[in-house]
Amino acid sequence: MSARGFGDLEAVVIERIWDRDEKTTVRELFDEMANERDIAYTTVMSTMDNLHRKGWLERERVGKAYRYWPTLSREEYSARLMSEALGSGGRSELVLAHFVEQMSAEDSEGLRAALRKLSRSKPR
């Protein structure tokens, strides 16, 4: 398994799907991937089917094919990983403190902006 919780090929496929702004078919993804690596159509198809069974992709039938799209955006998935790490990494306030210490100035400002936005949108 890759560090992000996907198998190696699953990670490649989900990254490519996240890079697209539209639903995609196995054929479209296979054609793109086959230009860069030796891979079988059935391998791409079974990987996308596995991601669907695991809940990472949704699909709809269009003619004889399925069109796939991610159930979470790349950012939502990253936030889920961060939440899981926070919940399993010891005392959450210490984990957060160490995390914030390692942030760049730009990321730190992004965090402050996100917190300001959330505090304004929450009902009091």
Side-chain angles (χ1 to χ4, degrees), residues 11-96:
V12 169
V13 167
I14 197 76
E15 287 287 341
R16 286 179 181 263
I17 291 173
W18 278 329
D19 288 342
R20 295 171 172 268
D21 291 329
E22 55 192 25
K23 298 174 183 177
T24 190
T25 64
V26 172
R27 171 62 59 193
E28 292 165 341
L29 202 60
F30 166 75
D31 288 345
E32 180 183 310
M33 292 175 72
N35 287 328
E36 300 168 14
R37 64 194 302 170
D38 185 24
I39 192 164
Y41 177 87
T42 54
T43 301
V44 177
M45 181 176 65
S46 62
T47 302
M48 290 172 76
D49 186 58
N50 288 342
L51 288 167
H52 174 259
R53 278 189 300 98
K54 292 177 178 181
W56 297 110
L57 295 178
E58 283 290 331
R59 70 182 180 192
E60 65 184 354
R61 196 166 202 45
V62 180
K64 293 182 178 183
Y66 284 107
R67 294 194 82 65
Y68 291 84
W69 65 94
T71 57
L72 296 175
S73 69
R74 178 183 277 120
E75 293 77 15
E76 289 168 328
Y77 175 68
S78 295
R80 180 183 284 185
L81 288 178
M82 292 167 65
S83 179
E84 288 172 5
L86 183 61
S88 65
R91 293 179 29 212
S92 59
E93 68 276 7
L94 292 177
V95 173
L96 282 170

